[in-house]
Amino acid sequence: MTTPAGRVLLERASELFYAEGITAVGVAGIADAAGVTKKTLYDCFGSKAALVVAYLQRRHDLWWSHLQERLAEDPSVLTLFDAYLAHPWFDTQRGCAFQRAAAELPDDHPGRAVIRAHKEAVRAEIARLVGDDALADHLFLLLEGAVARRGFEGTTAGLASAREVAAALVR
């Protein structure tokens, strides 16, 4: 994956998976979009499943970096909600890549482990910020619902409302 072709493949696959859905995109379409052969895709990743795992892990790494930068400035659970409101590549028309992938992937797909780890990391970060596991569970569910709402309504209204509820809960 660290080859130039691997980086281009991951970039094109990421765009296609997010825009069209993981199951809707085939390896031939990914290879074509990257300007390489299917053999190159398999040489770089071994399988479409491994490419999906790389896509989800990259998505997590980018998101986590964004979140940690924001939290370094203001370590508050409300900052976490703000990060979801203002993330530059969180498309209001498509929603959360992890929620979408979870809806598409079968239980035995290796990408589900990345999704689970991502969601557990977000929930653990909320718990770290508020110092209360029960409150963290409530805030995490509030956040997940608001993120899902953003994806199907195409607005940030639910996230803004969820942030207000979170502010009231942490007072």
Side-chain angles (χ1 to χ4, degrees):
M1 202 295 287
T2 59
T3 67
R7 287 189 293 276
V8 171
L9 277 161
L10 182 56
E11 185 64 33
R12 295 296 88 74
S14 296
E15 293 165 0
L16 291 168
F17 289 155
Y18 189 66
E20 299 176 23
I22 292 168
T23 57
V25 177
V27 293
I30 297 165
D32 186 52
V36 300
T37 65
K38 288 193 306 185
K39 181 184 181 320
T40 301
L41 184 149
Y42 287 115
D43 287 346
C44 291
F45 292 96
S47 66
K48 181 181 174 184
L51 181 56
V52 169
V53 168
Y55 155 67
L56 292 168
Q57 187 60 55
R58 178 174 179 260
R59 217 47 204 203
H60 169 77
D61 294 344
L62 291 170
W63 164 248
W64 203 252
S65 176
H66 166 77
L67 178 61
Q68 294 309 310
E69 286 173 17
R70 300 286 302 257
L71 290 172
E73 296 169 13
D74 181 12
S76 158
V77 75
L78 298 180
T79 300
L80 186 138
F81 278 81
D82 292 340
Y84 278 86
L85 274 163
H87 196 281
W89 48 259
F90 191 84
D91 183 342
T92 57
Q93 299 304 310
R94 304 223 185 277
C96 174
F98 298 98
Q99 289 176 347
R100 293 181 61 188
E104 284 192 68
L105 299 178
D107 291 344
D108 62 344
H109 193 285
R112 291 192 72 89
V114 179
I115 296 165
R116 235 180 333 279
H118 171 77
K119 295 301 183 180
E120 289 169 0
V122 172
R123 195 260 173 228
E125 190 67 1
I126 293 170
R128 184 187 71 78
L129 292 166
V130 298
D132 179 320
D133 277 342
L135 178 57
D137 285 339
H138 295 300
L139 292 171
F140 178 70
L141 289 172
L142 180 65
L143 178 66
E144 281 294 299
V147 167
R149 182 176 170 192
R150 181 176 180 171
F152 67 78
E153 286 184 351
T155 73
T156 59
L159 272 166
S161 294
R163 188 194 187 282
E164 290 177 26
V165 173
L169 289 172
V170 297
R171 277 195 281 259

